[in-house]
Each structure stands twice: as structure tokens, then as C-alpha cells.
Amino acid sequence: MSGLTDKTSERQEVGGKIDRRSFLQWSMLGLLAAMGLAALNVVVRFLLPPPKEYKATELSIPAGQIPSGSSMVVEYKGAPAIVIHTENGIAAFDATCTHLGCIVKWVRKEEIFLCPCHAGRFDRTGKVLSGPPPEPLHKIKIKLTDNNIVFL
Ligand code: FES
């Protein structure tokens, strides 16, 4: 038994240096510890609520910047929003497609929102006309105050 212990200690230290096997064992242990910490980080970030920085956003746009027939993409609460001005008035929508999250574009000529990813089409009220989107675009409440479009 003592012979085995002597061999082990001989293997670990040869001339005051750590041998290859011990180095690999410590390296693997360090790698496993790093992977464990990375996995723990992912789990903790998943369980924690998202940051609240997106909630305190207020947006106001001069109505003159969106003349009749035009549209404008703005950032609202950390996401792209699209404001359109048609003969029916001014409306704003979350520009994120309800299918897989691509950003829709306003096609003025046809008065539709078109998603470039899978050709999802929405009418000017956000209702799905065709394509894979499972639900309408999310409308954003706005009001016109002092010639400004205010996002609510
Ligand atoms: S992401 Fe818009 S249609 Fe697929």
C-alpha cells in the first residue's frame, strides 16, 4: 500500500513540477468549473425578471413629420414601431411581425404592411390579410396633442 502511495506522489511531482496527468486533471476540472458557472449564469438570467429600462419611455413626434400618405419607423419601449398617416388618420403599430418577429414595412401604394421574411401581409388596421402571421399587428395607443403625436 505504501508502495502505491509512493508511486502516486512520484507521478504528481517529478523534480518539483506537476506531471502531465495531473496537469490534465486540473485543466479538466477548471474547464468543468467554467462550464458550470456559464450554465449557472444562463439559469439565473432566465429566472430574473427583465430590466425595467424599457417601461419608462414616452414618445412624442411632431405630426408635421408624417404628412398624409407617409409612414415613419420609430423606437418605442425598446422595439420598432411604425406610424402611418392615411386618409383614415394617424395610427401606430408595433412593427414586429407576429409570426417570427421580422420588422414589417409600410407599402404606401397598396396601403398594407408587408413582412419581408415570409410575405405576411396586414391591412392598415393591422389585421392579417395573408401569410403565416397568427395574429394582427399590435396597435399602439396614440393621441394628437398640440400637433404632436403622443404615444400612450
Ligand atoms: S416573420 Fe413575418 S411572416 Fe414570418
Side-chain angles (χ1 to χ4, degrees), residues 37-147:
L37 287 174
L40 184 65
N41 179 34
V42 169
V43 170
V44 168
R45 290 178 63 172
F46 175 76
L47 293 176
L48 290 177
K52 297 188 177 192
E53 61 199 17
Y54 294 150
K55 296 198 174 177
T57 307
E58 186 175 296
L59 182 62
S60 175
I61 305 168
Q65 287 189 3
I66 309 173
S68 184
S70 68
S71 65
M72 177 186 269
V73 175
V74 295
E75 185 178 322
Y76 179 62
K77 292 186 177 179
I82 188 162
V83 185
I84 59 170
H85 188 172
T86 65
E87 61 188 30
N88 294 353
I90 298 174
F93 298 87
D94 183 338
T96 308
C97 179
T98 55
H99 180 222
L100 292 177
C102 292
I103 306 305
V104 299
K105 296 179 186 320
W106 175 247
V107 182
R108 179 181 181 176
K109 205 169 162 185
E110 300 175 52
E111 291 209 335
I112 60 160
F113 295 98
L114 176 65
C115 180
C117 293
H118 309 104
R121 294 161 42 104
F122 305 85
D123 72 8
R124 67 172 173 249
T125 66
K127 190 176 122 196
V128 178
L129 294 173
S130 64
E135 58 184 88
L137 290 177
H138 300 135
K139 192 165 186 167
I140 297 172
K141 288 184 181 176
I142 56 171
K143 71 177 179 183
L144 209 55
T145 308
D146 297 331
N147 238 4

